Amino acid sequence: MSGKLGVFDTANEAIEAAVAAQKDLVLNYTLEDRDRFIGAIRAKIMPVMKELATSEFEETGYGRFEDKIAKNTGAVMLSQGTEAIPKNMYVSDKGLTVEYYAPFGVIGAVTPVTNPAATVCGNGIANMAAGNAVVFNAHPGAKKTSAMTVRLVNEAITEAGGPDNLFSMVENPTLETLDEIMAHPAIKLLVGTGGPGMVKTLMKSGKKVIAAGAGNPPSIVDETADIKKAAAGLYASSSFDNNLLCIAEKEIFVVDAVFDDFMKQLEALGAYVCTKEQGKKLTEICVSELPNGGHGANKKFVGKYANVILKEAGIEIDSDPRIAIFEAENDDLLVQTEQMMPIIPIVRCKDFEEAMKRAVHAEHGCTHSASIWSKNIDRVTAFGKVINTTIFVQNGGTMAAFGLGGSGTNSPTIATPTGEGVTGPQSFVRRRRFCMADGGNYLL
Ligand code: NAD
C-alpha cells in the first residue's frame, strides 16, 4: 500500500497510482469482488455521514446540513453495482456471439463544489463496478471534503482486500492539473459534472467526454392538479439543500385559475411570500451580469439560507423558511437564470399552453430536468415532447426519478449534453464482442 489513500501532490502521481490500481482490479479480482468492495464503501461511509456533511457544509458554505446527509446517503446507497452492466447474446446454428461491456481503464473526473462527496462516491462506485479507476480533479472550493471522501473510499476497498488508489486526486486541484489529466495518454474517458465552462473545456480535449451540465428546471402546475400535493412536492423539491441540486425546480409556472390557491398552500407549508417589489429586489441581488454579457447566479448567495438572502435584500425575518417565493414576471432574470438558491419565482400564466411555452423557453435547451403537476395525461405527454429533458416527472418533484418519492437509481452525474442521462456503470464501459464461430457452442 502506498499509504496515500489516493490523495497525491501531483496529477502525474495520482494518474500512475490509478493506472496500477486499475490493472490490479481487472487482472486479479472478479466482478463479485467489485460488488463486495461497493458493500465495503457503503459500510464505511454510512457511519461517518454526519462528519462528511459537516465538512462539506463548513468548507463550501453551501446548502442545508440535514439535507446533505439525505443527499449523500442516496448517492452511496442507491447507486448501481455490476448488475447494471449490460450483456447481449446472438445465437444461430453458425455459432454464438456474446457482446459484453469492458472497462475503459482510467477515467478523469471533474466534480462540482455543490455536490463534492456525493459525486466522488457516486462516480467512484459506478466506475469501480465498470472496472475503471478514477482520477478526480475536484473543485478547489471543496478539495478537503473531496480528499476526505477519496481517502474513506480507498480505505474501505483496501480493508476489504482490494487494490489501493483505485480513486485518486491531486490534493490541490487547479485548472493546470486538469490540463495534465486531460492530456495524459492513460486517461481514456473524461467525465465532467458542473457548469458550461467546464463542459466546453473537456470537449476541447479531443477525448471522449461524458458531460453532466447545467440546467434551469421548470415546473408547471395546471388547474387539474391536486394543488395541495403540488405545493407540498415542490416545497420539498425546490428547497432541498437550499436548491443546490442541478435537478431541483428553479421556477414554477402556474395557471391563473389555481395560482392564488397554490401560493396560499406554499405559505401554509412555511414558504415566505414576498411582495412583487421585494421579488424585484431579490432578483437584483441574486443575479449577476457575466463578463460575456449574459447573466448567472450571484455566487455570494448560491446555496445560502433564504433568511440570509432576504436580509441582504432588506427583508428582516426571525424565522428560517425553507424557501422564499414571489410572483414574478416571465422575463424576470431569476426565472431565466439557474440561481441555485431557495428563492423561487412563480409565474402566473393565463392557461396551460402559455405555461408550457414559457417553461420550454426558461429551460433554455439544457435538456436537463422538468416536472409537471397535472392529471391530464395529454398535457403531460405534450409537455414531455416539447421540453425534451433528461429527467421528466409527473406529479412529483424531480427527485422522484432518483428513488426519493418515486422509483429509480441514484447518480450525482446526469449527462445532459452528451446524452448518457442518469449515469451508472453502463455509461462507463466499452462494448466488446467474443464470438465462437463455425457453429461453436450452439447446442440445438
Ligand atoms: P462549476 O462549473 O463552477 O465547476 C464545476 C467543476 O468544473 C469544478 O471542478 C471546477 O473547478 C471546474 N471548472 C470550472 N470552470 C472550468 C473551466 N472553465 N474549465 C475547466 N474546469 C472548470 O460548477 P459548480 O458551481 O461547481 O457546480 C454547479 C453547476 O454544476 C451547476 O451549473 C449545476 O447545474 C451543475 N451540475 C450538474 C450536474 C448534472 O448531473 N448535470 C450535477 C451537479 C451540478
Side-chain angles (χ1 to χ4, degrees):
M1 289 217 313
S2 66
K4 295 272 184 189
L5 288 173
V7 182
F8 292 88
D9 294 336
T10 67
N12 214 36
E13 286 173 284
I15 295 167
E16 279 173 15
V19 168
Q22 197 268 339
K23 274 202 185 117
D24 194 10
L25 180 72
V26 291
L27 295 179
N28 301 317
Y29 295 90
T30 61
L31 289 176
E32 277 179 21
D33 285 329
R34 293 185 202 168
D35 282 328
R36 196 164 52 75
F37 300 150
I38 294 171
I41 293 172
R42 291 181 173 143
K44 178 68 120 185
I45 303 269
M46 288 310 293
V48 294
M49 232 2 135
K50 256 191 178 167
E51 286 89 321
L52 214 50
T54 305
S55 168
E56 186 169 324
F57 184 69
E58 285 176 356
E59 184 180 15
T60 66
Y62 286 168
R64 278 187 173 259
F65 175 74
E66 67 277 16
D67 292 349
K68 292 196 184 301
I69 294 181
K71 177 178 83 169
N72 294 342
T73 299
V76 172
M77 297 307 294
L78 295 177
S79 46
Q80 293 172 287
T82 60
E83 75 283 355
I85 302 173
K87 315 150 188 82
N88 308 317
M89 200 163 53
Y90 307 91
V91 287
S92 75
D93 50 14
K94 295 193 183 110
L96 165 76
T97 295
V98 178
E99 196 160 57
Y100 63 103
Y101 290 74
F104 270 95
V106 182
I107 312 299
V110 183
T111 59
V113 69
T114 49
N115 210 12
T119 309
V120 169
C121 289
N123 283 183
I125 289 174
N127 272 290
M128 185 173 55
N132 298 313
V134 186
V135 180
F136 290 100
N137 205 66
H139 191 292
K143 63 185 178 186
K144 285 190 195 141
T145 307
S146 305
M148 182 177 168
T149 316
V150 164
R151 288 192 179 106
L152 283 166
V153 169
N154 280 310
E155 218 168 66
I157 298 168
T158 50
E159 282 168 5
D164 192 11
N165 301 315
L166 258 182
F167 306 107
S168 69
M169 65 174 275
V170 199
E171 190 153 23
N172 289 303
T174 60
L175 290 181
E176 288 68 41
T177 57
L178 176 59
D179 282 342
E180 286 176 58
I181 292 169
M182 288 195 300
H184 198 288
I187 302 292
K188 302 295 184 205
L189 167 68
L190 295 163
V191 179
T193 310
M198 178 277 300
V199 172
K200 254 189 216 149
T201 304
L202 295 199
M203 295 287 195
K204 282 190 211 140
S205 68
K207 294 194 173 168
K208 181 178 165 73
V209 175
I210 294 180
N216 190 36
S219 187
I220 291 179
V221 180
D222 82 3
E223 69 278 20
T224 71
D226 180 326
I227 300 304
K228 209 170 175 178
K229 273 194 187 164
L234 283 165
Y235 181 74
S237 189
S238 67
S239 68
F240 188 77
D241 210 14
N242 284 341
N243 195 255
L244 271 189
L245 295 196
C246 58
I247 56 168
E249 289 87 348
K250 301 211 160 34
E251 63 283 336
I252 305 172
F253 299 91
V254 184
V255 301
D256 184 43
V258 290
F259 186 92
D260 295 336
D261 187 17
F262 179 72
M263 295 295 268
K264 275 196 196 113
Q265 297 287 349
L266 279 179
E267 189 174 17
L269 288 161
Y272 183 83
V273 185
C274 303
T275 62
K276 283 188 179 181
E277 281 317 302
Q278 289 172 329
K280 276 189 190 145
K281 179 72 191 161
L282 283 165
T283 299
E284 246 173 68
I285 67 163
C286 293
V287 179
S288 306
E289 259 183 48
L290 297 174
N292 67 8
H295 291 92
N298 179 353
K299 296 234 157 120
K300 186 175 165 198
F301 299 124
V302 166
K304 292 287 184 278
Y305 284 69
N307 55 12
V308 171
I309 303 170
L310 289 172
K311 190 173 176 194
E312 290 282 336
I315 309 159
E316 293 265 4
I317 56 171
D318 55 11
S319 58
D320 169 26
R322 284 187 66 91
I323 47 173
I325 56 174
F326 67 97
E327 182 176 347
E329 296 302 322
N330 186 49
D331 59 359
D332 190 295
L333 288 174
L334 260 179
V335 174
Q336 304 300 334
T337 306
E338 185 195 32
Q339 76 274 40
M340 295 179 283
M341 297 166 205
I343 308 293
I344 309 297
I346 309 196
V347 182
R348 189 189 291 267
C349 303
K350 70 175 188 294
D351 54 20
F352 170 73
E353 276 66 34
E354 185 172 79
M356 184 162 72
K357 207 168 145 196
R358 289 173 166 181
V360 169
H361 180 257
E363 213 273 330
H364 303 305
C366 294
T367 60
H368 203 298
S369 301
S371 65
I372 175 167
W373 302 78
S374 172
K375 290 183 185 155
N376 182 328
I377 195 66
D378 290 343
R379 286 182 175 179
V380 175
T381 307
F383 183 41
K385 278 189 178 167
V386 292
I387 193 79
N388 196 23
T389 46
T390 307
I391 308 291
F392 180 56
V393 176
Q394 176 195 6
N395 294 333
T398 46
M399 290 197 307
F402 295 83
L404 300 163
S407 309
T409 55
N410 196 299
S411 167
T413 297
I414 302 141
T416 38
T418 52
E420 291 77 8
V422 179
T423 56
Q426 65 277 37
S427 319
F428 305 121
V429 281
R430 293 163 50 228
R431 207 181 245 206
R432 295 183 69 195
R433 273 189 185 191
F434 168 66
C435 174
M436 295 175 85
D438 199 21
N441 207 31
Y442 188 61
L443 302 178
L444 263 190

